[in-house]
Structure formats: structure tokens, C-alpha cells
Amino acid sequence: LRNGKVTPSVGFGLGTAWYKASGEKGNALQESLKAALECGYTHIDNAEMYQNESLVGPVLEEWLEAEEEDGETDRKSKEERKQKRRERLFIVSKVDNKSRDPTLLRTAFLTSLRELRLDYLDLYLIHSPFNLPDGVTLPMVWEEMEKLVDEGLVRSIGVSNFRICDLELILSSPNLRHAPVVNQCEVHAQLLDLDLLSYCQSKKILLTSYGGLGPLRSFSSNDAFLNVLSSIASKYNSDTGLILQSWLLHQGVGVITTSSKPSRMQQSLTAPSLSLSSSDLSLLTSAGRKRWLRKFWTDEMANYDKSYRSRYDLT
């Protein structure tokens, strides 16, 4: 990241599939997170909006307090071991839209921190730039985010679902002290905003994808894009989902994924080691550019998408 911190390129997300998890679904969330940690995930992505951080905290605490094979048992070694294990994790949360009021943000952050049972977060994001409270501007919200960094409560701060115009409001602030290091957005092979990607890269902001497997859930089996994707997957003796994730990483985009199946979790962790040829990358990119498909924040992004489609002649 631009501030020198390191984030794993593939993260495990606790969002859409686990939204408002409780009861059996809550138990499934906890078991899936345990499995993800056992598989080797260290980047865990959450948010106030998901309303499940109180379920995530006990799992993180259990993992942090697990004994290593060295068998050390005295209090000092336990604390040192916990601290060492904490350094291996990269925990992310996001401030909900309703908490972006400068008078509420700090309380919302501390609530997430308490529910996650942590002393600090590695990354804290503004979940969206849309529908700000009356009288509140993005620079005002960002100033409160910066204070959390100054206090050592979070190591890095960033944004989510931000367009270039939103990022510019923050980056142009005369009092900017900590620039955003991440912009987490819906990105996949049929929703690659080249303007946004180029802008983020020029500002040393890591564009990170959620919904990266969206194309697999959007089309029938005879869809032209899916046919191209399946052909490439066969060539590499690979899975179509893994090809999509590898494609994202080749664009310089981070990946947030999720699953309840350990086999799928392990598979996604191999995406960084799957090397696709430049010709196959271009083929997939070209096939993806023929349609523009968004699943999340569709109303808020409607005008932007209409303009983008028109500018690049997309359907």
C-alpha cells in the first residue's frame, strides 16, 4: 500500500452471503471463518453494515489465543504469541452510511473494534460516498477517519464504492494528512472501469474487487462471454471462478471472495500463482467489455453507468 503497509492480495469476505447472520446462519458464518483461517486466509473483510461483527469477534479471539506447537504456557509468552499472531492478520471493517456523521463515526468504529475483540484494525473504509447526512461532506468524514490513524486505532484508511469525483473531493482537501490507500468496489471481467483503475493506480490507491465472480451468476450457459471463459479455463485445466480471480489480480486489482466450502477457499488462495498469458487476458478482457453488468449500488450508480456505457459504446 502507499503507506508502506502490506495487504494480502486475496481476502475472505463476510458480507452479502452472511448479512445479518444469526441462528443457524450465524453458526455457519463462524464455521466458515474458522475454516478460512485454517486454510491460510489472513485478510478478513467485514463491515458495520453486515451486522455480524459480534459473531466474528469470538472466532478471531479464539484463533489469536490458540497455542502454537512450542507449548509455551506462561502469561508473558501467551501475550507475545497473541501479539505475533495478530500481526499475521489483516482485518478490515467499514463505517456504515448511517454512521458517517462526524459526531457518530468514532463511536461506530469503537463498536466495531469491541465486537471484533481487537485492539486495532488494519484498514477502515468509508463504505460508500452516497446519501451523506445533511450538512456533511466527504472531507469532513475523512477528517474523522484520519483521527483514528493518529490515535493508533487503525493502521490504514480507505474508501469503498468511490468514483473518481468522490476521490478527488478527499485528495484535493488542503488539510489532507492521510490519503486513502484502498478503494474497494464491485469489479469483475464485465465491470472493469478502466478510468477508475487508471486513476487509482496514478494516485497509488489499490483498487480491490468484491463481487468478482459476478459473471458466473448472471448468464445462461450459452452466453458468449461464458463460452470464452470456459474455453480459457479448459486450456489451463482450471476452474472458471479461479480464472476470473486470476484475471483481476493480473489487472492489479485485489480480490475479496467468500465461500462456505474449504475446497473453494483453498482454490481461491492459489489465484496469485496462476499465470495467464497476455493473449488470454486480452481475450477475456475483450469479451467482458461487450457488456456492463452491475449488481450492487445500481440506483446510486445509474447515471454514472449510463454515461460510461455511452462513452465506451457498451451494452
Side-chain angles (χ1 to χ4, degrees):
L1 302 176
R2 65 177 292 159
N3 61 355
K5 307 299 182 183
V6 177
T7 175
S9 58
V10 178
F12 188 77
L14 296 166
T16 306
W18 309 110
Y19 179 65
K20 288 187 177 181
S22 62
E24 292 185 4
K25 186 177 179 180
N27 293 335
L29 179 157
Q30 291 183 317
E31 291 304 313
S32 293
L33 179 55
K34 289 178 183 178
L37 292 167
E38 291 174 1
C39 285
Y41 283 88
T42 54
H43 180 174
I44 307 299
D45 181 78
N46 212 325
E48 177 189 356
M49 184 182 291
Y50 304 158
Q51 298 182 45
N52 60 27
E53 290 181 317
S54 62
L55 296 174
V56 173
V59 178
L60 294 178
E61 184 176 59
E62 180 182 352
W63 187 88
L64 288 171
E65 294 181 349
E67 291 192 10
E68 302 282 3
E69 294 181 356
D70 56 29
E72 292 177 314
T73 57
D74 63 272
R75 172 179 289 272
K76 183 177 181 180
S77 65
K78 284 184 178 180
E79 288 302 314
E80 289 177 344
R81 181 172 62 248
K82 182 176 180 180
Q83 182 178 4
K84 185 176 180 180
R85 288 173 71 86
R86 176 65 184 90
E87 289 292 329
R88 288 161 54 185
L89 296 180
F90 189 89
I91 308 298
V92 185
S93 188
K94 312 175 191 73
V95 59
D96 195 2
N97 286 0
K98 62 181 174 58
S99 301
R100 290 172 302 174
D101 187 307
T103 64
L104 302 176
L105 190 147
R106 178 183 172 83
T107 298
F109 173 87
L110 293 176
T111 298
S112 288
L113 200 63
R114 183 179 67 252
E115 291 189 342
L116 292 169
R117 303 190 184 185
L118 299 172
D119 296 324
Y120 68 90
L121 290 183
D122 296 277
L123 179 63
Y124 196 49
L125 309 178
I126 300 175
H127 208 141
S128 94
F130 309 117
N131 306 313
L132 286 166
D134 291 342
V136 174
T137 66
L138 287 175
M140 291 168 60
V141 181
W142 192 253
E143 184 176 353
E144 295 305 309
M145 298 282 284
E146 291 180 311
K147 291 177 182 178
L148 299 175
V149 179
D150 295 337
E151 294 180 54
L153 294 171
V154 62
R155 294 186 170 181
S156 303
I157 49 179
V159 298
S160 183
N161 302 299
F162 272 46
R163 302 155 297 186
I164 293 174
C165 60
D166 304 312
L167 288 166
E168 287 182 334
L169 288 174
I170 291 177
L171 293 174
S172 64
S173 173
N175 300 318
L176 182 69
R177 291 179 289 108
H178 302 290
V181 300
V182 164
N183 184 15
Q184 187 184 121
C185 299
E186 183 181 5
V187 184
H188 53 70
Q190 297 201 297
L191 191 68
L192 178 62
D193 186 335
L194 294 174
D195 296 339
L196 180 62
L197 176 60
S198 177
Y199 181 86
C200 285
Q201 290 176 337
S202 72
K203 301 299 182 181
K204 298 182 180 180
I205 298 171
L206 175 64
L207 186 62
T208 299
S209 160
Y210 66 80
L213 302 185
L216 296 180
R217 303 185 178 98
S218 302
F219 312 122
S220 61
S221 60
N222 63 354
D223 180 84
F225 172 80
L226 192 56
N227 291 338
V228 171
L229 175 60
S230 297
S231 176
I232 294 174
S234 296
K235 177 180 178 179
Y236 289 87
N237 192 28
S238 185
D239 177 85
T240 52
L242 189 61
I243 295 294
L244 289 174
Q245 291 171 335
S246 178
W247 178 87
L248 283 165
L249 294 171
H250 277 84
Q251 311 308 311
V253 176
V255 172
I256 301 298
T257 188
T258 193
S259 178
S260 59
K261 300 177 180 179
S263 60
R264 288 286 185 182
M265 298 176 189
Q266 293 171 339
Q267 176 181 275
S268 294
L269 286 175
T270 67
S273 62
L274 176 57
S275 180
L276 304 180
S277 70
S278 58
S279 60
D280 288 328
L281 289 168
S282 296
L283 183 62
L284 193 58
T285 300
S286 178
R289 293 288 286 175
K290 294 177 181 178
R291 294 182 72 179
W292 184 258
L293 293 169
R294 186 184 302 279
K295 178 180 179 181
F296 302 94
W297 304 97
T298 53
D299 291 342
E300 292 82 357
M301 294 294 291
N303 290 335
Y304 180 89
D305 287 344
K306 182 179 180 180
S307 174
Y308 194 90
R309 282 195 188 99
S310 176
R311 186 161 65 252
Y312 290 102
D313 194 26
L314 304 174
T315 59

